[in-house]
Short mmCIF file of all heavy atoms in Angstrom, two decimals:
data_model
loop_
_atom_site.label_atom_id
_atom_site.label_comp_id
_atom_site.label_asym_id
_atom_site.label_seq_id
_atom_site.Cartn_x
_atom_site.Cartn_y
_atom_site.Cartn_z
N MET A 1 0.82 -1.20 0.00
CA MET A 1 0.00 0.00 0.00
C MET A 1 0.86 1.26 0.00
O MET A 1 0.59 2.20 -0.73
CB MET A 1 -0.92 -0.05 1.23
CG MET A 1 -1.78 1.15 1.42
SD MET A 1 -3.05 1.15 0.17
CE MET A 1 -3.94 2.57 0.64
N LEU A 2 1.88 1.26 0.83
CA LEU A 2 2.76 2.42 0.91
C LEU A 2 3.53 2.61 -0.40
O LEU A 2 3.76 3.74 -0.83
CB LEU A 2 3.73 2.24 2.07
CG LEU A 2 4.58 3.46 2.44
CD1 LEU A 2 3.68 4.64 2.76
CD2 LEU A 2 5.48 3.14 3.60
N THR A 3 3.88 1.50 -1.04
CA THR A 3 4.59 1.58 -2.31
C THR A 3 3.72 2.21 -3.39
O THR A 3 4.18 3.05 -4.16
CB THR A 3 5.03 0.17 -2.76
OG1 THR A 3 5.80 -0.43 -1.71
CG2 THR A 3 5.84 0.21 -4.02
N VAL A 4 2.45 1.83 -3.43
CA VAL A 4 1.52 2.39 -4.41
C VAL A 4 1.34 3.88 -4.17
O VAL A 4 1.33 4.67 -5.12
CB VAL A 4 0.16 1.65 -4.33
CG1 VAL A 4 -0.87 2.34 -5.20
CG2 VAL A 4 0.32 0.21 -4.73
N LEU A 5 1.24 4.27 -2.92
CA LEU A 5 1.10 5.69 -2.60
C LEU A 5 2.35 6.47 -3.01
O LEU A 5 2.25 7.57 -3.57
CB LEU A 5 0.84 5.86 -1.10
CG LEU A 5 0.56 7.28 -0.63
CD1 LEU A 5 -0.67 7.84 -1.33
CD2 LEU A 5 0.40 7.32 0.87
N ALA A 6 3.52 5.89 -2.78
CA ALA A 6 4.77 6.56 -3.17
C ALA A 6 4.86 6.72 -4.69
O ALA A 6 5.27 7.77 -5.20
CB ALA A 6 5.96 5.76 -2.65
N ILE A 7 4.44 5.70 -5.42
CA ILE A 7 4.46 5.78 -6.89
C ILE A 7 3.47 6.85 -7.36
O ILE A 7 3.77 7.63 -8.28
CB ILE A 7 4.15 4.41 -7.51
CG1 ILE A 7 5.30 3.45 -7.25
CG2 ILE A 7 3.88 4.54 -9.01
CD1 ILE A 7 5.03 2.02 -7.64
N LEU A 8 2.30 6.90 -6.74
CA LEU A 8 1.32 7.91 -7.10
C LEU A 8 1.87 9.32 -6.87
O LEU A 8 1.72 10.20 -7.73
CB LEU A 8 0.03 7.72 -6.30
CG LEU A 8 -1.07 8.74 -6.54
CD1 LEU A 8 -1.58 8.64 -7.97
CD2 LEU A 8 -2.20 8.57 -5.56
N VAL A 9 2.52 9.52 -5.74
CA VAL A 9 3.11 10.83 -5.45
C VAL A 9 4.17 11.18 -6.49
O VAL A 9 4.24 12.31 -6.97
CB VAL A 9 3.69 10.85 -4.02
CG1 VAL A 9 4.56 12.08 -3.81
CG2 VAL A 9 2.57 10.79 -2.99
N LEU A 10 5.00 10.21 -6.85
CA LEU A 10 6.05 10.47 -7.85
C LEU A 10 5.46 10.81 -9.22
O LEU A 10 6.05 11.57 -9.98
CB LEU A 10 6.97 9.26 -7.97
CG LEU A 10 7.92 9.04 -6.80
CD1 LEU A 10 8.69 7.74 -6.98
CD2 LEU A 10 8.88 10.21 -6.65
N LEU A 11 4.31 10.26 -9.52
CA LEU A 11 3.67 10.56 -10.81
C LEU A 11 2.95 11.90 -10.81
O LEU A 11 2.92 12.60 -11.82
CB LEU A 11 2.68 9.45 -11.18
CG LEU A 11 3.30 8.10 -11.55
CD1 LEU A 11 2.21 7.06 -11.73
CD2 LEU A 11 4.13 8.22 -12.81
N VAL A 12 2.37 12.27 -9.67
CA VAL A 12 1.57 13.49 -9.59
C VAL A 12 2.43 14.72 -9.30
O VAL A 12 2.11 15.83 -9.74
CB VAL A 12 0.46 13.31 -8.53
CG1 VAL A 12 -0.26 14.61 -8.27
CG2 VAL A 12 -0.51 12.23 -8.97
N LEU A 13 3.52 14.55 -8.59
CA LEU A 13 4.35 15.67 -8.16
C LEU A 13 4.81 16.58 -9.30
O LEU A 13 4.69 17.81 -9.19
CB LEU A 13 5.55 15.16 -7.35
CG LEU A 13 6.39 16.23 -6.68
CD1 LEU A 13 5.57 17.00 -5.66
CD2 LEU A 13 7.61 15.62 -6.03
N PRO A 14 5.31 16.06 -10.42
CA PRO A 14 5.73 16.96 -11.51
C PRO A 14 4.58 17.84 -12.03
O PRO A 14 4.79 19.01 -12.36
CB PRO A 14 6.25 16.02 -12.59
CG PRO A 14 6.62 14.78 -11.87
CD PRO A 14 5.67 14.67 -10.72
N SER A 15 3.39 17.28 -12.11
CA SER A 15 2.24 18.05 -12.59
C SER A 15 1.91 19.18 -11.62
O SER A 15 1.65 20.31 -12.04
CB SER A 15 1.02 17.16 -12.76
OG SER A 15 1.26 16.21 -13.76
N VAL A 16 1.90 18.86 -10.34
CA VAL A 16 1.58 19.88 -9.34
C VAL A 16 2.63 20.98 -9.35
O VAL A 16 2.29 22.18 -9.29
CB VAL A 16 1.46 19.23 -7.94
CG1 VAL A 16 1.34 20.27 -6.86
CG2 VAL A 16 0.29 18.27 -7.91
N LEU A 17 3.89 20.61 -9.45
CA LEU A 17 4.95 21.61 -9.50
C LEU A 17 4.84 22.48 -10.75
O LEU A 17 5.06 23.69 -10.71
CB LEU A 17 6.32 20.95 -9.43
CG LEU A 17 6.67 20.25 -8.11
CD1 LEU A 17 8.01 19.54 -8.21
CD2 LEU A 17 6.66 21.24 -6.97
N GLY A 18 4.49 21.87 -11.88
CA GLY A 18 4.32 22.62 -13.12
C GLY A 18 3.17 23.60 -13.04
O GLY A 18 3.26 24.74 -13.51
N ILE A 19 2.07 23.19 -12.44
CA ILE A 19 0.91 24.07 -12.29
C ILE A 19 1.28 25.25 -11.40
O ILE A 19 0.96 26.41 -11.70
CB ILE A 19 -0.29 23.30 -11.72
CG1 ILE A 19 -0.81 22.32 -12.78
CG2 ILE A 19 -1.39 24.24 -11.27
CD1 ILE A 19 -1.82 21.32 -12.24
N ALA A 20 1.97 24.97 -10.29
CA ALA A 20 2.38 26.04 -9.38
C ALA A 20 3.33 27.02 -10.08
O ALA A 20 3.22 28.24 -9.92
CB ALA A 20 3.05 25.46 -8.14
N ARG A 21 4.23 26.50 -10.88
CA ARG A 21 5.18 27.35 -11.62
C ARG A 21 4.45 28.23 -12.63
O ARG A 21 4.72 29.43 -12.76
CB ARG A 21 6.21 26.47 -12.33
CG ARG A 21 7.23 27.24 -13.12
CD ARG A 21 8.24 26.29 -13.75
NE ARG A 21 9.18 27.00 -14.55
CZ ARG A 21 9.05 27.19 -15.87
NH1 ARG A 21 8.03 26.70 -16.51
NH2 ARG A 21 9.97 27.88 -16.53
N ASP A 22 3.50 27.65 -13.37
CA ASP A 22 2.73 28.41 -14.35
C ASP A 22 1.94 29.53 -13.68
O ASP A 22 1.86 30.65 -14.19
CB ASP A 22 1.78 27.50 -15.11
CG ASP A 22 2.49 26.62 -16.12
OD1 ASP A 22 3.67 26.88 -16.40
OD2 ASP A 22 1.85 25.66 -16.61
N ARG A 23 1.33 29.24 -12.54
CA ARG A 23 0.57 30.27 -11.81
C ARG A 23 1.47 31.40 -11.34
O ARG A 23 1.11 32.57 -11.40
CB ARG A 23 -0.18 29.64 -10.65
CG ARG A 23 -1.32 28.73 -11.11
CD ARG A 23 -2.02 28.07 -9.95
NE ARG A 23 -2.56 29.02 -9.00
CZ ARG A 23 -3.81 29.45 -8.98
NH1 ARG A 23 -4.65 29.00 -9.88
NH2 ARG A 23 -4.22 30.30 -8.07
N ARG A 24 2.68 31.04 -10.88
CA ARG A 24 3.63 32.06 -10.43
C ARG A 24 4.05 32.95 -11.60
O ARG A 24 4.08 34.19 -11.49
CB ARG A 24 4.86 31.41 -9.79
CG ARG A 24 5.90 32.41 -9.33
CD ARG A 24 7.10 31.73 -8.70
NE ARG A 24 7.65 30.65 -9.49
CZ ARG A 24 8.60 30.81 -10.42
NH1 ARG A 24 9.09 32.00 -10.66
NH2 ARG A 24 9.06 29.78 -11.09
N ILE A 25 4.34 32.34 -12.73
CA ILE A 25 4.75 33.10 -13.91
C ILE A 25 3.61 34.01 -14.38
O ILE A 25 3.82 35.18 -14.71
CB ILE A 25 5.21 32.16 -15.03
CG1 ILE A 25 6.53 31.51 -14.63
CG2 ILE A 25 5.36 32.90 -16.35
CD1 ILE A 25 6.96 30.39 -15.55
N ASP A 26 2.38 33.49 -14.41
CA ASP A 26 1.23 34.31 -14.81
C ASP A 26 1.05 35.51 -13.88
O ASP A 26 0.76 36.62 -14.32
CB ASP A 26 -0.05 33.48 -14.82
CG ASP A 26 -0.09 32.47 -15.95
OD1 ASP A 26 0.69 32.63 -16.91
OD2 ASP A 26 -0.90 31.53 -15.87
N ARG A 27 1.23 35.28 -12.57
CA ARG A 27 1.10 36.38 -11.61
C ARG A 27 2.17 37.43 -11.85
O ARG A 27 1.90 38.63 -11.83
CB ARG A 27 1.21 35.84 -10.17
CG ARG A 27 0.93 36.91 -9.12
CD ARG A 27 1.23 36.43 -7.72
NE ARG A 27 2.67 36.37 -7.53
CZ ARG A 27 3.36 35.29 -7.21
NH1 ARG A 27 2.76 34.14 -7.06
NH2 ARG A 27 4.67 35.34 -7.06
N GLN A 28 3.41 36.99 -12.13
CA GLN A 28 4.48 37.94 -12.38
C GLN A 28 4.22 38.74 -13.65
O GLN A 28 4.48 39.95 -13.70
CB GLN A 28 5.82 37.20 -12.50
CG GLN A 28 6.31 36.65 -11.19
CD GLN A 28 7.56 35.80 -11.35
OE1 GLN A 28 7.88 35.33 -12.44
NE2 GLN A 28 8.26 35.58 -10.25
N ILE A 29 3.68 38.11 -14.67
CA ILE A 29 3.36 38.81 -15.91
C ILE A 29 2.27 39.85 -15.66
O ILE A 29 2.37 40.99 -16.13
CB ILE A 29 2.93 37.82 -17.01
CG1 ILE A 29 4.14 37.00 -17.46
CG2 ILE A 29 2.30 38.55 -18.19
CD1 ILE A 29 3.79 35.86 -18.40
N ARG A 30 1.23 39.49 -14.92
CA ARG A 30 0.15 40.44 -14.60
C ARG A 30 0.69 41.63 -13.81
O ARG A 30 0.33 42.78 -14.09
CB ARG A 30 -0.95 39.75 -13.81
CG ARG A 30 -1.93 38.98 -14.65
CD ARG A 30 -3.17 38.61 -13.86
NE ARG A 30 -2.88 37.98 -12.58
CZ ARG A 30 -2.70 36.68 -12.39
NH1 ARG A 30 -2.79 35.86 -13.41
NH2 ARG A 30 -2.45 36.21 -11.19
N GLU A 31 1.56 41.35 -12.82
CA GLU A 31 2.11 42.44 -12.02
C GLU A 31 2.97 43.37 -12.87
O GLU A 31 2.91 44.59 -12.73
CB GLU A 31 2.92 41.88 -10.86
CG GLU A 31 2.06 41.24 -9.79
CD GLU A 31 2.89 40.52 -8.74
OE1 GLU A 31 4.13 40.42 -8.89
OE2 GLU A 31 2.30 40.04 -7.75
N ALA A 32 3.78 42.80 -13.76
CA ALA A 32 4.63 43.62 -14.62
C ALA A 32 3.78 44.44 -15.59
O ALA A 32 4.08 45.62 -15.85
CB ALA A 32 5.60 42.73 -15.40
N GLU A 33 2.72 43.85 -16.11
CA GLU A 33 1.83 44.57 -17.02
C GLU A 33 1.14 45.73 -16.31
O GLU A 33 1.03 46.83 -16.84
CB GLU A 33 0.80 43.58 -17.56
CG GLU A 33 0.17 43.98 -18.85
CD GLU A 33 -0.65 42.83 -19.40
OE1 GLU A 33 -1.81 42.69 -18.95
OE2 GLU A 33 -0.13 42.09 -20.24
N GLN A 34 0.70 45.48 -15.09
CA GLN A 34 0.04 46.53 -14.31
C GLN A 34 1.04 47.65 -13.99
O GLN A 34 0.69 48.83 -14.09
CB GLN A 34 -0.53 45.96 -13.03
CG GLN A 34 -1.29 46.98 -12.22
CD GLN A 34 -1.90 46.37 -10.98
OE1 GLN A 34 -1.72 45.18 -10.71
NE2 GLN A 34 -2.63 47.17 -10.23
N ALA A 35 2.25 47.30 -13.61
CA ALA A 35 3.26 48.32 -13.31
C ALA A 35 3.58 49.15 -14.55
O ALA A 35 3.75 50.37 -14.46
CB ALA A 35 4.52 47.65 -12.78
N ARG A 36 3.64 48.51 -15.71
CA ARG A 36 3.92 49.23 -16.96
C ARG A 36 2.79 50.20 -17.27
O ARG A 36 3.01 51.35 -17.64
CB ARG A 36 4.10 48.25 -18.11
CG ARG A 36 4.42 48.93 -19.43
CD ARG A 36 4.49 47.94 -20.58
NE ARG A 36 3.29 47.14 -20.73
CZ ARG A 36 2.19 47.54 -21.39
NH1 ARG A 36 2.15 48.75 -21.93
NH2 ARG A 36 1.16 46.75 -21.51
N ARG A 37 1.54 49.76 -17.10
CA ARG A 37 0.40 50.63 -17.37
C ARG A 37 0.39 51.83 -16.43
O ARG A 37 0.11 52.95 -16.85
CB ARG A 37 -0.91 49.86 -17.22
CG ARG A 37 -1.18 48.92 -18.35
CD ARG A 37 -2.51 48.21 -18.10
NE ARG A 37 -3.06 47.75 -19.33
CZ ARG A 37 -3.88 48.45 -20.11
NH1 ARG A 37 -4.25 49.64 -19.76
NH2 ARG A 37 -4.33 47.96 -21.23
N GLU A 38 0.68 51.58 -15.16
CA GLU A 38 0.69 52.68 -14.20
C GLU A 38 1.84 53.64 -14.48
O GLU A 38 1.69 54.85 -14.31
CB GLU A 38 0.78 52.12 -12.78
CG GLU A 38 -0.51 51.46 -12.34
CD GLU A 38 -0.41 50.80 -10.99
OE1 GLU A 38 0.70 50.81 -10.40
OE2 GLU A 38 -1.42 50.27 -10.51
N ALA A 39 2.97 53.13 -14.94
CA ALA A 39 4.11 53.99 -15.28
C ALA A 39 3.80 54.86 -16.50
O ALA A 39 4.27 55.99 -16.61
CB ALA A 39 5.35 53.14 -15.54
N GLU A 40 3.00 54.33 -17.41
CA GLU A 40 2.64 55.09 -18.61
C GLU A 40 1.49 56.06 -18.32
O GLU A 40 1.12 56.84 -19.19
CB GLU A 40 2.22 54.12 -19.73
CG GLU A 40 3.36 53.31 -20.29
CD GLU A 40 2.90 52.32 -21.33
OE1 GLU A 40 1.67 52.11 -21.49
OE2 GLU A 40 3.76 51.72 -21.98
N GLY A 41 0.94 55.99 -17.14
CA GLY A 41 -0.14 56.90 -16.78
C GLY A 41 -1.49 56.46 -17.28
O GLY A 41 -2.41 57.26 -17.37
N LEU A 42 -1.64 55.21 -17.59
CA LEU A 42 -2.92 54.72 -18.09
C LEU A 42 -3.84 54.28 -16.96
O LEU A 42 -4.96 53.86 -17.21
CB LEU A 42 -2.71 53.55 -19.05
CG LEU A 42 -1.93 53.87 -20.33
CD1 LEU A 42 -1.72 52.61 -21.13
CD2 LEU A 42 -2.66 54.91 -21.15
N GLY A 43 -3.37 54.35 -15.75
CA GLY A 43 -4.19 53.93 -14.62
C GLY A 43 -4.12 52.44 -14.43
O GLY A 43 -3.40 51.73 -15.13
N PRO A 44 -4.87 51.95 -13.49
CA PRO A 44 -4.85 50.51 -13.22
C PRO A 44 -5.39 49.73 -14.41
O PRO A 44 -6.28 50.20 -15.13
CB PRO A 44 -5.73 50.34 -11.99
CG PRO A 44 -6.52 51.58 -11.89
CD PRO A 44 -5.76 52.67 -12.59
N ALA A 45 -4.84 48.56 -14.60
CA ALA A 45 -5.27 47.74 -15.73
C ALA A 45 -6.68 47.24 -15.49
O ALA A 45 -7.04 46.83 -14.40
CB ALA A 45 -4.32 46.55 -15.89
N ARG A 46 -7.46 47.30 -16.55
CA ARG A 46 -8.82 46.77 -16.45
C ARG A 46 -8.76 45.28 -16.67
O ARG A 46 -8.03 44.78 -17.51
CB ARG A 46 -9.72 47.39 -17.51
CG ARG A 46 -10.01 48.83 -17.22
CD ARG A 46 -10.96 49.43 -18.20
NE ARG A 46 -11.45 48.51 -19.21
CZ ARG A 46 -12.26 48.84 -20.17
NH1 ARG A 46 -12.65 50.07 -20.29
NH2 ARG A 46 -12.67 47.95 -21.04
N ARG A 47 -9.57 44.58 -15.93
CA ARG A 47 -9.63 43.13 -16.08
C ARG A 47 -10.35 42.82 -17.39
O ARG A 47 -11.39 43.40 -17.68
CB ARG A 47 -10.37 42.54 -14.90
CG ARG A 47 -10.55 41.03 -15.00
CD ARG A 47 -11.12 40.51 -13.74
NE ARG A 47 -9.98 40.12 -12.92
CZ ARG A 47 -10.08 39.58 -11.74
NH1 ARG A 47 -11.25 39.42 -11.20
NH2 ARG A 47 -9.02 39.22 -11.07
N PRO A 48 -9.79 41.91 -18.19
CA PRO A 48 -10.46 41.60 -19.46
C PRO A 48 -11.82 40.96 -19.19
O PRO A 48 -12.04 40.31 -18.18
CB PRO A 48 -9.50 40.60 -20.12
CG PRO A 48 -8.60 40.11 -19.05
CD PRO A 48 -8.58 41.15 -17.99
N ALA A 49 -12.72 41.19 -20.14
CA ALA A 49 -14.07 40.64 -20.00
C ALA A 49 -14.00 39.12 -19.95
O ALA A 49 -13.18 38.50 -20.62
CB ALA A 49 -14.93 41.09 -21.17
N ARG A 50 -14.88 38.56 -19.16
CA ARG A 50 -14.90 37.11 -19.04
C ARG A 50 -15.36 36.50 -20.36
O ARG A 50 -16.29 36.98 -21.01
CB ARG A 50 -15.87 36.71 -17.94
CG ARG A 50 -15.82 35.26 -17.63
CD ARG A 50 -16.62 34.96 -16.40
NE ARG A 50 -16.47 33.55 -16.10
CZ ARG A 50 -17.00 32.97 -15.09
NH1 ARG A 50 -17.73 33.66 -14.25
NH2 ARG A 50 -16.82 31.69 -14.88
N ARG A 51 -14.65 35.47 -20.76
CA ARG A 51 -14.96 34.82 -22.02
C ARG A 51 -16.31 34.15 -21.94
O ARG A 51 -16.62 33.45 -20.99
CB ARG A 51 -13.89 33.78 -22.34
CG ARG A 51 -13.61 33.70 -23.81
CD ARG A 51 -12.37 32.95 -24.08
NE ARG A 51 -12.64 31.53 -23.99
CZ ARG A 51 -11.74 30.61 -24.16
NH1 ARG A 51 -10.52 30.93 -24.43
NH2 ARG A 51 -12.04 29.34 -24.07
N GLN A 52 -17.13 34.42 -22.93
CA GLN A 52 -18.47 33.86 -22.94
C GLN A 52 -18.43 32.45 -23.51
O GLN A 52 -17.80 32.19 -24.53
CB GLN A 52 -19.38 34.73 -23.80
CG GLN A 52 -20.83 34.42 -23.63
CD GLN A 52 -21.69 35.41 -24.37
OE1 GLN A 52 -21.21 36.07 -25.29
NE2 GLN A 52 -22.93 35.52 -24.01
N ARG A 53 -19.08 31.56 -22.82
CA ARG A 53 -19.13 30.17 -23.28
C ARG A 53 -20.41 29.98 -24.08
O ARG A 53 -21.49 30.34 -23.65
CB ARG A 53 -19.09 29.23 -22.10
CG ARG A 53 -17.79 29.37 -21.34
CD ARG A 53 -17.80 28.51 -20.12
NE ARG A 53 -16.68 28.90 -19.28
CZ ARG A 53 -15.68 28.10 -19.00
NH1 ARG A 53 -15.65 26.88 -19.45
NH2 ARG A 53 -14.70 28.51 -18.24
N TYR A 54 -20.26 29.41 -25.26
CA TYR A 54 -21.39 29.22 -26.14
C TYR A 54 -21.86 27.79 -26.09
O TYR A 54 -21.08 26.86 -25.96
CB TYR A 54 -21.01 29.59 -27.57
CG TYR A 54 -20.71 31.05 -27.74
CD1 TYR A 54 -19.40 31.51 -27.73
CD2 TYR A 54 -21.73 31.96 -27.89
CE1 TYR A 54 -19.13 32.85 -27.86
CE2 TYR A 54 -21.47 33.31 -28.02
CZ TYR A 54 -20.16 33.74 -28.02
OH TYR A 54 -19.90 35.06 -28.15
N PHE A 55 -23.15 27.62 -26.21
CA PHE A 55 -23.76 26.31 -26.27
C PHE A 55 -24.23 26.12 -27.70
O PHE A 55 -25.06 26.89 -28.20
CB PHE A 55 -24.94 26.24 -25.29
CG PHE A 55 -25.62 24.91 -25.31
CD1 PHE A 55 -25.04 23.82 -24.71
CD2 PHE A 55 -26.85 24.76 -25.91
CE1 PHE A 55 -25.68 22.59 -24.72
CE2 PHE A 55 -27.50 23.55 -25.93
CZ PHE A 55 -26.91 22.45 -25.33
N THR A 56 -23.67 25.13 -28.36
CA THR A 56 -24.03 24.91 -29.76
C THR A 56 -24.86 23.65 -29.90
O THR A 56 -24.72 22.70 -29.14
CB THR A 56 -22.79 24.78 -30.64
OG1 THR A 56 -22.01 23.68 -30.18
CG2 THR A 56 -21.96 26.05 -30.61
N THR A 57 -25.74 23.66 -30.87
CA THR A 57 -26.56 22.49 -31.15
C THR A 57 -26.50 22.21 -32.64
O THR A 57 -26.13 23.05 -33.46
CB THR A 57 -28.03 22.73 -30.76
OG1 THR A 57 -28.53 23.84 -31.51
CG2 THR A 57 -28.17 22.99 -29.28
N THR A 58 -26.86 21.01 -32.96
CA THR A 58 -26.90 20.61 -34.37
C THR A 58 -28.37 20.40 -34.75
O THR A 58 -29.09 19.68 -34.07
CB THR A 58 -26.12 19.30 -34.60
OG1 THR A 58 -24.79 19.50 -34.15
CG2 THR A 58 -26.12 18.91 -36.05
N VAL A 59 -28.78 21.03 -35.82
CA VAL A 59 -30.14 20.90 -36.29
C VAL A 59 -30.13 20.00 -37.51
O VAL A 59 -29.39 20.23 -38.47
CB VAL A 59 -30.75 22.28 -36.66
CG1 VAL A 59 -32.17 22.13 -37.18
CG2 VAL A 59 -30.68 23.20 -35.46
N THR A 60 -30.92 18.96 -37.46
CA THR A 60 -31.00 18.04 -38.60
C THR A 60 -32.44 17.96 -39.09
O THR A 60 -33.39 18.13 -38.32
CB THR A 60 -30.51 16.63 -38.21
OG1 THR A 60 -31.31 16.16 -37.13
CG2 THR A 60 -29.05 16.65 -37.80
N HIS A 61 -32.57 17.70 -40.35
CA HIS A 61 -33.89 17.57 -40.95
C HIS A 61 -34.24 16.09 -41.06
O HIS A 61 -33.51 15.31 -41.65
CB HIS A 61 -33.93 18.20 -42.35
CG HIS A 61 -35.22 18.03 -43.04
ND1 HIS A 61 -36.34 18.71 -42.66
CD2 HIS A 61 -35.59 17.24 -44.07
CE1 HIS A 61 -37.36 18.35 -43.42
NE2 HIS A 61 -36.90 17.45 -44.29
N HIS A 62 -35.34 15.73 -40.43
CA HIS A 62 -35.79 14.34 -40.49
C HIS A 62 -37.00 14.27 -41.41
O HIS A 62 -37.93 15.06 -41.30
CB HIS A 62 -36.19 13.82 -39.10
CG HIS A 62 -35.04 13.79 -38.15
ND1 HIS A 62 -34.09 12.80 -38.19
CD2 HIS A 62 -34.66 14.63 -37.17
CE1 HIS A 62 -33.20 13.01 -37.26
NE2 HIS A 62 -33.50 14.13 -36.62
N SER A 63 -36.99 13.28 -42.31
CA SER A 63 -38.13 13.18 -43.23
C SER A 63 -39.22 12.31 -42.69
O SER A 63 -39.13 11.64 -41.75
CB SER A 63 -37.67 12.62 -44.57
OG SER A 63 -36.97 11.42 -44.38
#
């Protein structure tokens, strides 16, 4: 049981570390972008509009 848990941790750990790294990089990019906007005198950065999710359907003609 302990061996299976150790293998699971070894498999999941790289993914978790990668996600944490990506989030840190994204945060640094947002902070740098905001600092650049404020330095240019554009004021605080506006948050981009939330992406709208579309629901699509397929219409078929039945005889």
